[in-house]
Amino acid sequence: MEKPERLIDENGRRVDGRKFDELRPVKMEIGVLDKSDGSAYVEFGGTKVIAAVFGPREAHPRHLALPDRAILNCRYHMTSFSVEERKPLGMTRREIELSKVIREALETVTFLEEFPRASIDVYIEVIQADGGTRTTGLTAASLALADAGIPMADLVAAVAVGKVDGQLVLDLCDIEDKYGEADMPVAMAPRFNSIVLLQLNGRMTPEEFRKGLALAQKGISEIYRLQREALKKKFSSVPPMES
Ligand code: ADP
């Protein structure tokens, strides 16, 4: 992918025509898989992610089970067809790191102590990558956990903000992530206004950081609204009675 001459045009529009504080078109669907206990599909523009949850179920191997809480296993994985250049098979260092930070974010909201000796397994598959896969993955994973009926204090909603051509922008796409000056993924449990993941790649001044965080919060409240809407859509319809 070549670097465009400018990432923001003279009208303040971004490479895909968005304003600085605009999310990409978002789609969310709950319960998309039959074999898992919970699942969700989430799309932010060209980034498409599916999350599946199994459990709570007996932890295996048994010696890993904890006497006072469930273990939360989390695997973030990019399919080999999710990027233009074929991604190496197997887990890369990046995927191992992202699995860890996503797990830590989800652990803050999940009532693991309700399921001693059990495991809850979260699988995140990136089907297509166009920036913001960790944030889309987290957003999808928390929906899949809710779909599986795992008790949680709140959902996790996430988005990246960044700096491109000196301007703070919401929800970076790949080209902005690659050629921008900074990229800051943020995930929150919005009900408590608490940050459960925050990373920063690149440089921002303290003032830009504060403004960036406020921009992320604005995006997150919209994502949170869409998450609740998607959950209501699935659970407000009553299945037909069996005769
Ligand atoms: P995130 O997807 O959370 O923004 P990164 O900042 O590490 O995480 O990656 C930014 C983007 O770079 C990804 O969304 C994807 O579009 C692209 N990318 C990541 N890994 C690869 C890879 N192995 N090959 C090609 N593109 C990649």
Side-chain angles (χ1 to χ4, degrees):
M1 193 191 315
E2 294 224 341
K3 184 180 189 315
E5 219 169 278
R6 285 192 304 186
L7 290 166
I8 307 232
D9 73 11
E10 62 281 7
N11 302 315
R13 295 287 175 162
R14 297 155 67 180
V15 280
D16 52 11
R18 278 183 293 156
K19 289 183 254 169
F20 81 96
D21 60 350
E22 217 176 309
L23 292 171
R24 290 175 284 180
V26 179
K27 275 193 203 155
M28 293 183 188
E29 204 180 331
I30 319 279
V32 290
L33 302 173
D34 290 341
K35 316 264 160 154
S36 57
D37 296 310
S39 59
Y41 171 79
V42 177
E43 193 177 295
F44 274 68
T47 290
K48 302 174 185 214
V49 174
I50 204 154
V53 167
F54 289 88
R57 57 186 177 181
E58 191 175 287
H60 276 287
R62 282 222 184 135
H63 69 267
L64 292 179
L66 300 174
D68 56 345
R69 68 171 182 95
I71 40 175
L72 185 72
N73 295 311
C74 186
R75 192 184 86 137
Y76 160 101
H77 179 249
M78 274 170 71
T79 57
S80 44
F81 51 83
S82 62
V83 287
E84 265 166 55
E85 279 176 45
R86 194 156 60 91
K87 199 203 114 268
L89 292 174
M91 292 286 277
T92 60
R93 282 176 65 103
R94 174 179 172 276
E95 288 168 308
I96 294 167
E97 183 217 313
L98 292 189
S99 300
K100 176 182 180 285
V101 293
I102 290 172
R103 171 175 56 77
E104 288 171 348
L106 294 172
E107 277 176 343
T108 64
V109 293
T110 315
F111 292 122
L112 296 172
E113 62 285 0
E114 293 202 11
F115 307 105
R117 309 202 59 79
S119 82
I120 297 168
D121 304 309
V122 179
Y123 296 93
I124 296 167
E125 288 290 329
V126 178
I127 299 167
Q128 189 171 280
D130 185 23
T133 60
R134 80 194 64 194
T135 50
T136 309
L138 250 175
T139 302
S142 79
L143 286 174
L145 282 165
D147 185 37
I150 310 284
M152 288 190 289
D154 198 5
L155 293 166
V156 171
V159 75
V161 289
K163 191 164 84 165
V164 301
D165 288 354
Q167 158 96 55
L168 289 171
V169 294
L170 179 65
D171 187 21
L172 305 180
C173 60
D174 189 23
I175 200 161
E176 292 176 322
D177 182 305
K178 213 161 258 147
Y179 299 116
E181 296 94 75
D183 162 33
M184 181 166 81
V186 183
M188 294 183 71
R191 192 149 77 92
F192 306 99
N193 203 29
S194 72
I195 293 170
V196 295
L197 174 142
L198 191 143
Q199 298 177 297
L200 173 61
N201 190 7
R203 278 165 180 265
M204 281 187 191
T205 64
E207 179 63 10
E208 284 167 345
F209 175 78
R210 273 189 292 276
K211 282 192 177 155
L213 204 52
L215 189 57
Q217 267 177 301
K218 182 174 170 264
I220 282 169
S221 56
E222 173 61 7
I223 295 162
Y224 189 51
R225 190 186 66 74
L226 294 169
Q227 283 177 306
R228 283 177 300 161
E229 209 170 79
L231 280 168
K232 274 189 206 149
K233 196 171 155 200
K234 172 159 185 218
F235 290 106
S236 60
S237 60
V238 182
M241 295 260 284
E242 279 176 37
S243 54

